[in-house]
Amino acid sequence: MSHTLFIADLHLSPTRPDITDCFERFMKQEAINADALYVLGDLFEVWIGDDDNSPFHRQIKAAFSAVTEQGVPVYFIHGNRDFLIGQRFARETGVTLLSELECIDLYGTPTLILHGDTLCLEDVDYQAFRRKVHQRWLQRLFLSLPLTWRRKIAAKMRAGSANANQQKSTSIMDVTPQEVQRQLDNANVCHMIHGHTHRPHIHQWHQHGTEYRRIVLGDWYQHGSVLMCNEQDCDLQTRDFTHF
Ligand code: LP5
Ligand code: MN
């Protein structure tokens, strides 16, 4: 039966060949047979520019090309680790870059898709950081630096982030329910899919007689997380690495 796949937060890096293996198997065996694949951000542990064409990056790009060349549409929404993925990456892979918030028709159900970081409004330090690094001029400046400098700056940011996160409560780092409702109401839809929080779950609730659903994809650090949707329903799967 035809289905659409969603994944997020794989955090691919050369230090985790086990995750890369699962991703490659997933692309070869599953994505290739799907109606479409949506990658909802943080595909990479960190992305410092499309010109970082390492053997590892070439390997991942080849996995995407093999799928898109078979005519399967693959869509990508930026995460907070890989918001610098750009048009060169898109050209090299056949992947379509989407904007940070999109409304798709999922077998007749209008569905809002996003990475999920923009839902975490209580994390005011992160939102301030996000506004800074999303400035086009700053990104252009960063991208004009030598790769070695960019790698060092990104490592500093990663360390700063890990440090800051230790001081934050888990509730601050989760979504703000009022913001979820606001974004759904604003788009006039009842269905949302996102990642980022690494808390895989299908949330369902009622408001003013309407049923809402928010599906949160998990990360791929210890298990794989795949959402499979068809005409009937959505199946959120947490899989052992041996099940790819
Ligand atoms: O990523 P994670 O899981 O640790 O936490 C995120 C939020 N953190 C981030 C920062 C990223 O990890 C770093 C991304 C590197 C991108 C590389 C490209 C750089 C491009 C620059 C272009 C101009 O997203 C974290 C959230 C958490 O998710 C949960 O939602 O809380 O937010 C923060 O940690 C932000 C901090 O609160 C404040 C910022 C600390 C960064 C220190 C910067 C030091 C910079 C030094 C540079 C010379
Ligand atoms: Mn994220």
Side-chain angles (χ1 to χ4, degrees):
M1 198 204 293
S2 60
H3 58 274
T4 295
L5 297 168
F6 298 84
I7 55 175
D9 301 292
L10 287 84
H11 294 269
L12 296 176
S13 94
T15 62
R16 288 296 303 268
D18 51 343
I19 304 177
T20 306
D21 276 359
C22 290
F23 167 70
E24 287 188 312
R25 263 179 270 141
F26 169 79
M27 294 301 277
K28 269 201 197 105
Q29 293 162 15
E30 301 184 55
I32 204 96
N33 298 311
D35 286 343
L37 167 67
Y38 289 86
V39 183
L40 301 185
D42 288 359
L43 170 68
F44 292 102
E45 176 72 353
V46 70
W47 189 261
I48 56 169
D50 291 0
D51 54 332
D52 186 2
N53 195 26
S54 65
F56 172 71
H57 290 153
R58 284 203 293 276
Q59 184 187 346
I60 304 301
K61 286 188 274 195
F64 279 111
S65 301
V67 169
T68 57
E69 279 164 11
Q70 290 304 306
V72 180
V74 178
Y75 302 98
F76 178 81
I77 291 186
H78 293 108
N80 55 297
R81 303 285 191 91
D82 51 16
F83 56 86
L84 287 179
I85 284 182
Q87 286 308 326
R88 175 171 164 185
F89 178 90
R91 257 196 326 275
E92 288 173 346
T93 55
V95 168
T96 303
L97 303 184
L98 301 178
S99 53
E100 65 180 51
L101 184 66
E102 295 272 350
C103 189
I104 61 166
D105 176 357
L106 190 57
Y107 303 105
T109 305
T111 302
L112 214 50
I113 57 170
L114 65 167
H115 177 55
D117 55 332
T118 53
L119 297 168
C120 304
L121 293 191
E122 276 173 64
D123 195 346
V124 287
D125 291 350
Y126 169 67
Q127 295 302 333
F129 171 79
R130 187 179 192 279
R131 275 192 297 277
K132 280 201 191 89
V133 295
H134 275 256
Q135 298 174 103
R136 278 307 297 167
W137 70 268
L138 193 58
Q139 294 186 357
R140 272 197 291 270
L141 178 67
F142 179 79
L143 291 171
S144 72
L145 300 172
L147 276 167
T148 46
W149 295 20
R150 276 184 262 165
R151 226 166 261 132
K152 281 193 187 134
I153 295 170
K156 281 233 161 61
M157 287 182 172
R158 288 287 312 113
S161 178
N163 195 36
N165 290 358
Q166 281 181 358
Q167 327 292 323
K168 292 179 192 170
S169 72
T170 50
S171 77
I172 280 184
M173 290 197 282
D174 202 354
V175 301
T176 306
Q178 295 87 334
E179 182 60 11
V180 169
Q181 194 67 51
R182 194 193 66 79
Q183 293 208 15
L184 285 165
D185 291 348
N186 202 36
N188 200 23
V189 302
C190 310
H191 195 213
M192 175 185 271
I193 302 172
H194 69 84
H196 181 67
T197 60
H198 302 185
R199 296 173 207 212
H201 193 67
I202 301 187
H203 301 264
Q204 274 169 302
W205 70 98
H206 284 83
Q207 178 110 327
H208 309 308
T210 306
E211 192 178 339
Y212 291 88
R213 183 164 72 160
R214 174 172 69 96
I215 304 181
V216 188
L217 293 160
D219 63 81
W220 285 45
Y221 282 128
Q222 310 296 337
H223 298 93
S225 181
V226 176
L227 177 68
M228 215 178 249
C229 297
N230 61 25
E231 303 249 352
Q232 269 76 49
D233 208 1
C234 285
D235 180 22
L236 178 60
Q237 306 173 351
T238 300
R239 294 195 205 155
D240 283 347
F241 285 161
T242 49
H243 285 92
F244 278 93

